[in-house]
Amino acid sequence: MLLADKICIITGAASERGIGRATARLFAAQGGRVIILDLDGDAAAAAARDLGEGHRGYACDVADKTACEAATKRVVDEFGRVDALVNNAGITQPVKTLEIDAASYDRILDVNLRGTLYMSQAALPSMKAQRAGSIVCISSVSAQRGGGIFGGPHYSAAKAGVLGLAKAMAREFGPDNIRVNSVTPGLIQTDITAGKLDDAMREKILEGIPMRRLGDAQDVARACLFLASDLASYTTGAVIDVNGGMLIH
Ligand code: NAD
């Protein structure tokens, strides 16, 4: 078991077909105790129950610093520590540069980037205290290639910000034995992309993916497992692409 007895917080893991939920299932299967944080507390609790005994699901808007602190305190009060945090909660919006209004900019940046900062700030003191921890930040290929398929430029900017934030935290907290890494998924079939892809569009996208398939949530979950576990014991500040070759550096 790669995560035996590890206390693992995963944000945005209530969505049934999402990357967070697949990661929660894989972490639980590897012995981790999973705490799902999502907007809807009932959905988060139901998702946690679905994982089996001993897991938890709480309401938490990651863009709300007080909520992040309160949810993390609940975890530390009950389990004594946080071993791993997966900053997965995210939203996108398919608009062009000239269409981005102030409210959309705030919304996209707040959930994807501010949320990553606030949840990391909430979890880091516990990780520092035990001189161990792993933070995994879900960015996107959109950050690396100037747009993915569905995200607007503000989404690319937010996800690029996540990469910079994760690298800076990796440098700052390396001395505390806390590793911080990012995952950059390509096009993954989840609710974020559901219903937005017709056959012609799909064919065109597949031509640009050497592995000739879209990703699924488990593909990303496996990269998160590697980074959260001791398999990645000397890996920090890294960016792991999970994109089927859509972008090769
Ligand atoms: P999803 O919509 O299935 O899941 C996102 C989850 O985040 C949902 O459960 C939602 O309720 C939750 N959430 C939204 N706002 C929140 C907030 N303020 N606080 C807490 N939770 C919140 O989407 P997904 O495709 O599984 O996306 C997961 C992550 O992967 C996101 O960060 C997304 O940007 C990223 N990503 C997805 C793809 C893709 O193709 N699906 C590609 C690259 C990156």
Side-chain angles (χ1 to χ4, degrees), residues 12 15 18-19 38 60-62 88 90 138-139 155 159 186 188 190 192:
S15 162
I19 290 169
D38 210 301
C60 176
D61 175 353
V62 296
N88 167 77
I138 306 298
S139 173
Y155 177 78
K159 292 300 195 184
I188 311 298
T190 67
I192 264 190

Side-chain angles (χ1 to χ4, degrees), residues 48-178:
R49 272 196 304 278
D50 199 45
L51 299 175
E53 279 296 301
H55 307 287
R56 301 285 183 271
Y58 303 134
C60 176
D61 175 353
V62 296
D64 177 343
K65 192 172 169 66
T66 310
C68 293
E69 286 170 351
T72 307
K73 183 175 182 305
R74 250 175 118 164
V75 175
V76 174
D77 284 349
E78 182 171 6
F79 301 111
R81 63 186 195 279
V82 180
D83 296 309
L85 164 67
V86 181
N87 284 310
N88 167 77
I91 54 170
T92 187
Q93 186 191 26
V95 294
K96 305 277 189 211
T97 302
L98 298 181
E99 299 158 6
I100 301 169
D101 56 28
S104 303
Y105 178 90
D106 285 348
R107 210 162 51 83
I108 296 294
L109 270 287
D110 278 356
V111 179
N112 291 291
L113 183 54
R114 188 187 294 270
T116 298
L117 174 66
Y118 284 170
M119 273 310 301
S120 301
Q121 286 177 324
L124 278 161
S126 163
M127 293 180 173
K128 255 176 93 92
Q130 65 170 358
R131 292 192 56 76
S134 172
I135 299 179
V136 181
C137 301
I138 306 298
S139 173
S140 169
V141 69
S142 176
Q144 301 163 302
R145 66 183 285 281
I149 311 287
F150 295 111
H154 50 347
Y155 177 78
S156 299
K159 292 300 195 184
V162 167
L163 294 181
L165 174 63
K167 289 180 186 183
M169 291 193 296
R171 200 171 280 284
E172 183 176 344
F173 294 100
D176 296 297
N177 194 35
I178 298 166

